[in-house]
């Protein structure tokens, strides 16, 4: 099929007809098992940690993880690992490989302290967040958040890499998602969720939080409107949808402490369906801890806000409709840590699907790298 015909078909598959509905729990989720990866595990000259995404690689039968390391500990990189998920739980995790992401010039990405702002955007420091295996080529598509400080503006990106880390290309992002002095993404609330949809013909991404021009960030009084972006795998952005984030679940202790919430991972609910997805909403509140919830959302009927300059000022925008699949506080985990990644695992004989998740320990001794599986009916 030609790119022109495929793109036209994809545009035609995006329906706009239904309104948002309140979240509601499905209540058919159970924990199969979990494994804890040793803290600061050494592997092939690197320190394993900061695992902020997971994806199943059908070519190898293994799982692929991205490390949320801005080349501060080791060069920005990804890992492969093998373990079994079945009705009896999750087997011990064995890491099998690691590669750094490479820039177009073949070098590894620099740490933030050594970043050269005169270089092209795709050769400056990166903040890796989510990696997905391309079902067509086996290449890796990965998202990174860029940087926003008083002195540095680095755009977020979605990049394609070969299986050994070599740079292939950047996918285009909309001007509204680029870093400018007064608009664009907030610091560290940028491109985080990433998934393929419609058999790999679509790339779907999410910011972790609202753009500056889209209104205030979520707090204990109100949620926020985030943006879900749908684009052709060949690049063109086809649509954007408003996603209603939950409120911050508790007040920090002490008052004024750090509190945040946002989407840390996206996953197509069905590889053939271009409209239904899972969103992993992760919250952290100082003095309270983490709350992590999985929602299913549907873009059918939601307003296409691709050309809406500000969601805060827009009238009659219908966000996606969503429903609660699971609150991880209710499934029996040993601890609910900084869970940031999810992927589908094998289907069980019971007909249940398995969802495999990973937590990002932030390379901190007080946190854990936790790999666990849920059964979902």
């Amino acid at each position: 099929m030609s790119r022109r015909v495929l793109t036209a078909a994809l545009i035609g598959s995006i329906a706009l007809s239904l309104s948002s509905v309140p979240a509601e729990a499905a209540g058919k989720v159970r924990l199969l098992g979990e494994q804890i990866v040793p803290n600061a595990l050494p592997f092939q000259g690197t320190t394993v940690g900061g695992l902020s995404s997971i994806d199943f690689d059908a070519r190898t039968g293994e799982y692929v993880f991205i490390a949320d390391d801005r080349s501060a500990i080791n060069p920005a990189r990804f890992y492969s690992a093998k373990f079994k998920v079945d009705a009896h739980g999750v087997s011990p995790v064995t890491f099998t490989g690691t590669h750094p992401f490479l820039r177009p010039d073949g070098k590894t990405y620099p740490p933030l302290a050594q970043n050269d702002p005169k270089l092209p955007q795709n050769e400056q420091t990166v903040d890796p967040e989510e990696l997905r295996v391309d079902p067509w080529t086996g290449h890796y598509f990965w998202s990174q958040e860029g940087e926003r400080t008083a002195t540095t503006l680095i755009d977020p990106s979605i990049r394609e890499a070969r299986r050994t880390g070599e740079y292939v290309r950047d996918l285009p992002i909309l001007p509204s998602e680029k870093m400018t002095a007064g608009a664009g993404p907030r610091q560290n609330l940028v491109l985080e969720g990433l998934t393929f949809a419609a058999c790999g013909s679509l790339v779907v991404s999410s910011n972790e939080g609202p753009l500056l021009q889209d209104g205030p960030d979520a707090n204990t009084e109100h949620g926020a409107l985030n943006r879900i972006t749908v684009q052709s795998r060949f690049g063109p952005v086809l649509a954007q949808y408003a996603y209603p984030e939950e409120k911050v679940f508790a007040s920090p202790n002490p008052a004024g402490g750090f509190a945040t919430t946002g989407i840390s991972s996206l996953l197509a609910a069905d590889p053939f369906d271009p409209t239904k997805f899972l969103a992993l909403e992760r919250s952290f509140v100082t003095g309270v801890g983490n709350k992590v919830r999985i929602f299913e959302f549907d873009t059918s009927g939601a307003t296409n806000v691709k050309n809406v300059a500000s969601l805060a000022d827009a009238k009659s925008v219908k966000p996606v409709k969503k429903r609660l699949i699971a609150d991880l506080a209710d499934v029996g985990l040993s601890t609910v840590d900084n869970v940031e990644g999810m992927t589908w695992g094998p289907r069980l004989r019971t007909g249940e699907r398995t969802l495999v998740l990973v937590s990002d320990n932030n390379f901190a001794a007080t946190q854990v790298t936790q790999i666990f599986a849920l059964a979902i009916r």
Side-chain angles (χ1 to χ4, degrees):
M1 184 182 294
S2 73
R3 294 188 182 185
R4 180 177 299 173
V5 172
L6 176 60
T7 300
L10 296 177
I11 293 172
S13 72
I14 299 172
L16 303 171
S17 62
L18 300 175
S19 61
S20 175
V21 298
E24 56 184 39
K28 296 182 179 179
V29 176
R30 61 188 179 94
L31 178 67
L32 291 173
E34 63 177 310
Q35 292 287 337
I36 304 296
V37 176
N39 191 52
L41 176 71
F43 179 75
Q44 294 186 0
T46 72
T47 298
V48 176
L51 303 183
S52 65
S53 81
I54 180 173
D55 203 22
F56 180 70
D57 188 342
R59 286 168 172 75
T60 63
E62 298 182 349
Y63 293 85
V64 186
F65 303 85
I66 203 169
D68 187 358
D69 179 359
R70 307 193 66 173
S71 297
I73 297 173
N74 304 116
R77 62 200 176 279
F78 57 91
Y79 293 93
S80 57
K82 60 182 179 180
F83 55 89
K84 186 176 181 180
V85 176
D86 58 23
H88 302 292
V90 180
S91 70
V93 178
T94 301
F95 287 88
T96 59
T98 185
H99 292 280
F101 291 110
L102 300 179
R103 307 187 310 188
D105 63 2
K107 297 179 181 179
T108 57
Y109 288 95
L112 181 60
Q114 299 174 19
N115 186 64
D116 183 353
K118 297 187 296 295
L119 289 174
Q121 287 274 324
N122 58 15
E123 294 186 359
Q124 297 190 46
T125 190
V126 292
D127 186 359
E129 293 298 344
E130 185 133 71
L131 179 152
R132 294 296 180 191
V133 182
D134 181 357
W136 290 17
T137 68
H139 285 181
Y140 298 145
F141 282 51
W142 59 289
S143 62
Q144 68 88 23
E145 291 194 289
E147 178 67 17
R148 176 187 289 280
T149 68
T151 58
T152 303
L153 293 175
I154 301 174
D155 288 335
S157 66
I158 299 172
R159 290 182 183 150
E160 180 181 355
R162 292 188 173 86
R163 295 173 66 84
T164 47
E166 293 88 357
Y167 175 89
V168 175
R169 60 169 175 149
D170 275 57
L171 270 68
I173 63 172
L174 292 175
S176 61
E177 296 198 327
K178 294 186 177 182
M179 297 287 191
T180 62
R186 287 172 161 84
Q187 166 66 5
N188 206 36
L189 293 177
V190 200
L191 278 175
E192 186 124 355
L194 183 68
T195 189
F196 284 97
C199 301
S201 58
L202 297 177
V203 176
V204 183
S205 59
S206 65
N207 288 311
E208 188 175 355
L211 301 176
L212 288 171
Q213 61 267 33
D214 285 341
D217 199 5
N219 58 29
T220 56
E221 300 298 322
H222 59 76
L225 286 179
N226 201 339
R227 294 193 186 220
I228 305 294
T229 302
V230 180
Q231 64 192 118
S232 162
R233 64 174 290 114
F234 304 118
V237 174
L238 307 176
Q240 273 193 332
Y241 303 103
Y243 177 95
E245 288 183 3
E246 301 296 299
K247 297 186 294 185
V248 174
F249 70 98
S251 298
N253 184 19
F258 180 72
T260 187
T261 192
I263 300 175
S264 62
S265 181
L266 285 184
L267 182 63
D270 182 311
F272 300 100
D273 191 332
T275 63
K276 293 183 175 62
F277 302 89
L278 299 187
L280 188 65
E281 288 196 44
R282 181 275 325 272
S283 300
F284 173 77
V285 176
T286 299
V288 181
N290 297 284
K291 177 174 278 292
V292 183
R293 288 165 287 190
I294 302 167
F295 292 90
E296 182 182 75
F297 70 91
D298 188 343
T299 61
S300 299
T303 304
N304 184 351
V305 297
K306 173 186 171 184
N307 296 318
V308 176
S310 168
L311 295 180
D313 299 331
K315 306 297 183 184
S316 303
V317 168
K318 294 181 180 179
V320 302
K321 55 187 182 294
K322 57 187 278 194
R323 67 184 183 105
L324 181 66
I325 298 296
D327 184 329
L328 296 189
D330 301 331
V331 301
L333 287 165
S334 61
T335 183
V336 178
D337 210 296
N338 181 36
V339 181
E340 289 206 353
M342 61 181 173
T343 187
W344 292 114
R347 189 178 290 274
L348 302 179
R349 291 183 178 180
T350 59
E352 295 165 298
R353 301 180 76 182
T354 60
L355 188 67
V356 188
L357 300 99
V358 66
S359 66
D360 175 353
N361 72 345
N362 291 310
F363 296 95
T366 56
Q367 295 182 254
V368 296
T369 299
Q370 181 184 38
I371 297 171
F372 59 97
L374 305 175
I376 301 178
R377 187 172 297 280

